[in-house]
């Protein structure tokens, strides 16, 4: 477990020292475009399409299994559809704006520029995912939601000065195979590399920061990224940083090699448990307060639902996470 005393949660501006790309890449790019790090793969549109690539364990899916094995199964093995979430889609929109903000010359990375990027990014998101319009009851509802997104962008400029930042990477797909043969994959929002080579891994969150006792859980995703980058390049990132736009606070942690070694063991243990579930078909539901927000209640026995038959092809694909 992470020593919570080593993590700091502040309401101050994030470390805004000018950072520049190092000569070496901060992480490797994966040639195959990825849909969403939260899913093992995208659906194959037809029989003539390329074969599905190998599955991998992501931070989101790892946390799904720890929260509820049946939730993990529905998302990863059955790949059941879920209705779009206003909070999640808003997060995607704000992330897209912040990513493209850094396409502009440094002097033009202003709050007004970010607000001007919002509408074209929303149009592009709708084109990719037309179902998102079903979230709104009408123009007034949509207008209020877009206003919330603008407010989050305004908050970002109170936390960081993007005119002083030159990210080495943005929205970077990273994957690495552990010594056990387990493949990890994830998207990193931003990587900054200081002139001395120190690496900072940054993730934007559009919600509010966690209470101190939940900081360890919040940092799981960042330690996961830290482990991948360390295994890829042999250097532990100097800082893992979560930027919470919902309340203007920053959660920062400077990881140590020993905790990444421990995390690797934890992920190997987790994968063995997941693989056992896949081979036996036993993905038991785990009820909690989070069930109130679950879109799979109609398929969950804890709510009187009927669990669909376990798809053999989904199981086979899941088991490809581990080589050999």
């Amino acid at each position: 477990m992470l020593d919570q005393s080593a993590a700091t949660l502040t309401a101050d501006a994030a470390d805004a020292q000018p950072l520049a790309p190092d000569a070496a890449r901060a992480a490797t790019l994966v040639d195959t475009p990825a849909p969403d790090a939260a899913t093992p793969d995208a659906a194959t549109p037809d029989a003539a399409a390329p074969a599905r690539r190998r599955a991998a364990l992501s931070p989101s899916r790892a946390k799904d299994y720890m929260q509820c094995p049946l939730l993990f199964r529905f998302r990863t093995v059955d790949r059941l559809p879920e209705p779009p979430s206003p909070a999640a889609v808003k997060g995607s929109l704000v992330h897209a704006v912040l990513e493209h903000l850094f396409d502009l010359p440094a002097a033009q990375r202003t709050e007004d520029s970010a607000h001007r990027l919002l509408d074209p990014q929303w149009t592009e998101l709708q084109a990719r995912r037309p179902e998102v319009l079903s979230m709104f009851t009408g123009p007034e509802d949509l207008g209020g939601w877009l206003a919330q997104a603008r407010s989050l962008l305004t908050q970002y400029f109170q936390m960081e000065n993007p005119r002083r930042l030159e990210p080495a990477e943005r929205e970077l797909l990273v994957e690495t195979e552990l010594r056990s043969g387990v493949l990890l994959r994830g998207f990193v929002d931003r990587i900054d590399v200081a002139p001395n080579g120190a690496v900072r891994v940054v993730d934007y969150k559009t919600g509010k920061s966690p209470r101190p006792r939940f900081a360890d859980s919040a940092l799981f995703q960042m330690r996961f990224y830290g482990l991948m980058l360390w295994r890829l390049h042999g250097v532990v990132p100097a800082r893992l940083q979560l930027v919470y736009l919902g309340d203007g606070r920053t959660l920062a942690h400077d990881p140590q090699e020993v905790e990444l070694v421990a995390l690797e063991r934890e992920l190997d243990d987790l994968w063995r448990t997941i693989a056992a579930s896949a081979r036996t078909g036993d993905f038991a539901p785990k009820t909690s307060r989070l069930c109130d927000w679950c879109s799979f209640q109609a398929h969950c026995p804890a709510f009187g639902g009927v669990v669909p038959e376990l798809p053999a092809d989904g199981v086979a694909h899941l088991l490809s996470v581990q080589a050999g």
Side-chain angles (χ1 to χ4, degrees), residues 10-17 155-161 200 239 241 243 248-250:
T10 70
D12 300 326
D15 178 14
Q17 286 187 356
Q155 179 64 66
Y156 169 74
F157 283 86
Q158 296 176 21
M159 302 180 71
E160 290 191 326
N161 181 356
R200 178 173 65 187
R239 172 153 294 189
Q241 186 163 295
V243 178
R249 306 186 79 186
T250 298

Side-chain angles (χ1 to χ4, degrees), residues 263-274:
L263 176 61
E264 183 167 356
R265 288 197 298 266
E266 291 172 18
L267 292 177
D268 281 336
D269 289 343
L270 176 63
W271 170 250
R272 282 191 286 270
T273 304
I274 293 172

Side-chain angles (χ1 to χ4, degrees), residues 57-59 62-63 66 178 180 182 184 220 223-225 227-228 260-274 321:
L57 192 62
S58 72
K63 291 197 77 170
M66 292 185 283
L178 300 179
S180 61
V182 172
L184 306 183
F220 173 81
R223 292 189 297 138
F224 193 108
Y225 294 156
L227 172 61
M228 286 197 292
L260 299 185
V261 171
L263 176 61
E264 183 167 356
R265 288 197 298 266
E266 291 172 18
L267 292 177
D268 281 336
D269 289 343
L270 176 63
W271 170 250
R272 282 191 286 270
T273 304
I274 293 172
V321 165

Side-chain angles (χ1 to χ4, degrees), residues 2 223 240 253-264:
L2 175 66
R223 292 189 297 138
L240 307 174
H253 175 63
D254 299 340
Q256 302 300 313
E257 184 175 313
V258 64
E259 73 186 76
L260 299 185
V261 171
L263 176 61
E264 183 167 356

Side-chain angles (χ1 to χ4, degrees), residues 61 71 75 80-84 129 131 294-296:
R61 293 294 74 86
L71 171 67
R75 283 180 169 164
L80 299 179
E82 297 182 76
R129 300 176 57 191
E131 72 275 9
C294 182
S295 59
F296 299 125

